[in-house]
Amino acid sequence: MKNRHDAIHYCMQYNSVFEDQPFRDKNWTLIRHNENQKVFAWIFEKDSHIWINVKGEPALNHHLRQSYDSIVPAYHLNKEHWNSIILDGTIPEKEIHEMIKTSYHLTKERKTYE
């Protein structure tokens, strides 16, 4: 996964999701669930790289940040529950896919908290 198109294309392969650009700033592409409108991937450009914000379990988020320099506390989101993945070629694609999958499943539930 190297660019915005690749990131959006991968996320759109999940069931019952849609692409959204709710902000005037067209830099942000959000991938949401149809059923509950929750976002599971925030895709944007920052510092000449594409970034993807994804939700994860707090303990695993911390571990991933320790394992990869290009996984950092989420830009503009809750730092405990969300990570930013910087697509700079240093994170194995399998790891990126797993993080997106986790975010998809964590945001799919109809929870009224978080």
Side-chain angles (χ1 to χ4, degrees), residues 36 38 55-57 81 102 105-114:
N36 63 14
K38 288 187 178 184
K55 191 168 189 175
E57 297 292 344
H81 293 279
T102 297
H105 288 293
L106 286 174
T107 55
K108 191 171 181 171
E109 301 297 319
R110 289 185 180 260
K111 295 179 182 176
T112 57
Y113 53 91
E114 288 186 358

Side-chain angles (χ1 to χ4, degrees), residues 32-58:
R32 297 178 181 267
H33 294 277
N34 285 334
E35 295 82 22
N36 63 14
Q37 307 295 301
K38 288 187 178 184
V39 179
F40 73 93
W42 304 69
I43 302 165
F44 57 100
E45 184 173 349
K46 180 178 180 326
D47 302 330
S48 301
H49 290 291
I50 297 300
W51 293 40
I52 309 171
N53 286 349
V54 292
K55 191 168 189 175
E57 297 292 344

Side-chain angles (χ1 to χ4, degrees), residues 11 14 18 24 69 89:
C11 291
Y14 283 90
F18 68 98
R24 276 190 235 170
D69 290 338

Side-chain angles (χ1 to χ4, degrees), residues 46 49-52 69-72 84-91 96:
K46 180 178 180 326
H49 290 291
I50 297 300
W51 293 40
I52 309 171
D69 290 338
S70 295
I71 298 177
V72 298
S84 287
I85 305 166
I86 304 168
L87 299 183
D88 63 359
T90 63
I91 306 167
I96 296 169

Side-chain angles (χ1 to χ4, degrees), residues 55-73:
K55 191 168 189 175
E57 297 292 344
L60 182 56
N61 284 349
H62 179 73
H63 171 74
L64 289 165
R65 293 172 195 162
Q66 298 301 312
S67 300
Y68 300 100
D69 290 338
S70 295
I71 298 177
V72 298

